[in-house]
Amino acid sequence: MAAEAGASSFMLNVCGQIESVELPHYDYIFLIYQFVHGDDWERVLGLEEGVSQLSSKSADVRGLHAFAFPVEVTFKSTNPHGWPQLVVTALGTDIWGNQVVRGYSVCHLPMQPGRVTKRVPLFAPQSSSLMSKLQGLMQSEHPLYTDPKILGQGQGRQVTRVRSLGQMTLNFSTSMKNTRALGYQLLPGENFGAAAAM
Amino acid sequence: SMAEVHVIGQIVGASEFPENDLFCKWEAHFGPAWKRLEGEVSGQTQVDCPASGEMAYFAHPIDLHFATRGLQGWPKLHFEVFHYDWAGRSSLVGYGFAHVPSQPGLHKIDCVTWRPTGSFMDEVSAKFVGGGIQLKRPDLVYELHDRRNVHSTAGGKVHLELSVILRNFDKFGVEC
């Protein structure tokens, strides 16, 4: 497919899946994913929010939650700044049957074409003091982010205390359109020569 | 059109520090030929106390967009790792820095850190007072100053995952 002459935007297409989660401490987990991106980006295809099945931990020594949960999305943008990030919330239920956040993860969608497998840590916010922790246990209220999209930002995280407690494995296959036509070099060794318009 | 550089990724975490309960402050520094177009140039991560394993995870996003007229003063990222103790005090446990890679693509970078070593009395009182031993001039960590009077001890490592995207470098005859 020829690059469009005079194109002012490029496209990012990502197909992949959330393969599995290692959170052996918890028996029942389901996942919700969302995208965080800058103002120059627009999601043209794919879900705004995805909700997975409910998983039971495997009975063997792995204690694994396997999801094979598809993530397929296409973005259009004029600027790499604000490159989309995938924020995943892992939820479970406590002994009283209330929905509880077990962990969060955040990672950028790949910035190079190709296939990658990633392992991303999961972490859960902690109460800021022993008192609020005890109170939380009594009232079955666990600390959580009011909007998980804050994990895509660099500001406002400095006051949060977290405990990292598991890993998520994902894979992505990524392709782009028009990045070369716009003069962007995403990989080493690409030589455009005089091809790009001056 | 100018040459542009995008640096996008994360401060993944820190490992090999004797302490848990770590957080990291970071700052970007660059020469006068460079202009920051978009993105924050500094930040502070969450405090992580890992349930198990060696790595404290920050998962802190970095997304910087520069325009440049020259290669001198290529951007670098400077890190200060702190331990947040049971009393809520922060002590400095490592200084480090890393140049933004000049090659486009994905880079996994392990950044070594060091902390200043004080005299025996300095070390003992730091344990009680907190704060750690800090440099009066933190730019010593990333600038080309004479360091002969500094005595340091190794700290752990800061782990970065950064992607670099270059724009229009080929038009200026620059190979990265």
Side-chain angles (χ1 to χ4, degrees), chain A residues 56-137:
Chain A
S56 277
K57 182 172 80 165
S58 65
D60 51 33
V61 298
R62 299 173 305 165
L64 192 70
H65 292 278
F67 289 95
F69 181 30
V71 177
E72 288 174 25
V73 68
T74 304
F75 284 94
K76 183 172 162 171
S77 177
T78 53
N79 183 1
H81 181 71
W83 199 281
Q85 300 177 64
L86 183 74
V87 174
V88 182
T89 308
L91 294 131
T93 38
D94 65 8
I95 51 170
W96 287 285
N98 302 314
Q99 215 170 76
V100 149
V101 170
R102 295 305 191 195
Y104 294 96
S105 78
V106 56
C107 71
H108 282 92
L109 294 184
M111 279 160 269
Q112 301 80 31
R115 188 182 192 275
V116 286
T117 303
K118 293 178 91 135
R119 260 169 79 82
V120 179
L122 284 146
F123 50 86
Q126 300 293 294
S127 307
S128 46
S129 69
L130 192 56
M131 258 327 287
S132 55
K133 186 170 181 172
L134 287 171
Q135 217 172 342
L137 281 171

Side-chain angles (χ1 to χ4, degrees), chain A residues 79-82 106 108 111-112 121 152-155 157 160-164 167 182-186 188 192 197, chain B residues 6 8-10 21 38 40 45-51 57-61 63 104-106 163 166-168 170-171:
Chain A
N79 183 1
H81 181 71
V106 56
H108 282 92
M111 279 160 269
Q112 301 80 31
Q153 286 167 225
Q155 297 300 319
R157 304 265 301 268
T160 52
R161 301 198 65 180
V162 303
R163 188 168 195 78
S164 53
Q167 298 277 335
L182 291 169
Y184 290 110
Q185 199 179 340
L186 305 171
F192 304 156
Chain B
H6 291 268
I8 304 173
Q10 277 190 0
D21 275 328
E38 292 170 297
E40 286 138 13
T45 71
Q46 63 198 16
V47 180
D48 181 33
C49 184
Y57 286 105
F58 305 134
H60 195 90
D63 191 333
L106 176 65
S163 283
L166 303 180
R167 191 181 196 193
N168 296 332
D170 53 315
K171 289 185 196 165

Side-chain angles (χ1 to χ4, degrees), chain B residues 44-91:
Chain B
Q44 186 173 320
T45 71
Q46 63 198 16
V47 180
D48 181 33
C49 184
S52 65
E54 285 286 316
M55 186 98 122
Y57 286 105
F58 305 134
H60 195 90
I62 291 182
D63 191 333
L64 279 161
H65 180 194
F66 294 102
T68 182
R69 292 189 320 263
L71 293 176
Q72 292 76 20
W74 194 281
K76 39 193 159 182
L77 303 172
H78 146 230
F79 304 102
E80 295 181 0
V81 184
F82 288 85
H83 165 54
Y84 187 77
D85 72 11
W86 61 272
R89 301 170 302 185
S90 308
S91 349

Side-chain angles (χ1 to χ4, degrees), chain B residues 108-165:
Chain B
K108 297 196 182 176
I109 298 171
D110 293 341
C111 179
V112 301
T113 68
W114 53 271
R115 60 171 188 83
T117 322
S119 64
F120 176 71
M121 281 315 298
D122 290 335
E123 299 272 337
V124 165
S125 66
K127 290 236 177 326
F128 288 98
V129 172
I133 297 163
Q134 302 191 22
L135 292 172
K136 274 194 228 170
R137 292 186 49 193
D139 67 346
L140 193 82
V141 177
Y142 53 87
E143 293 293 0
L144 298 167
H145 298 317
D146 194 338
R147 294 182 174 187
R148 75 186 77 190
N149 295 323
V150 179
H151 179 199
S152 71
T153 308
K157 292 186 178 142
V158 175
H159 302 275
L160 312 172
E161 207 175 279
L162 297 175
S163 283
V164 171
I165 296 176

Side-chain angles (χ1 to χ4, degrees), chain A residues 3-4 7 9-11 113 176-193 195-197, chain B residues 165-168 170-171:
Chain A
E4 290 163 11
S9 63
F10 63 90
M11 312 246 312
M176 331 276 191
K177 184 179 182 198
N178 286 339
T179 46
R180 202 173 279 205
L182 291 169
Y184 290 110
Q185 199 179 340
L186 305 171
L187 287 169
E190 286 184 341
N191 184 10
F192 304 156
Chain B
I165 296 176
L166 303 180
R167 191 181 196 193
N168 296 332
D170 53 315
K171 289 185 196 165

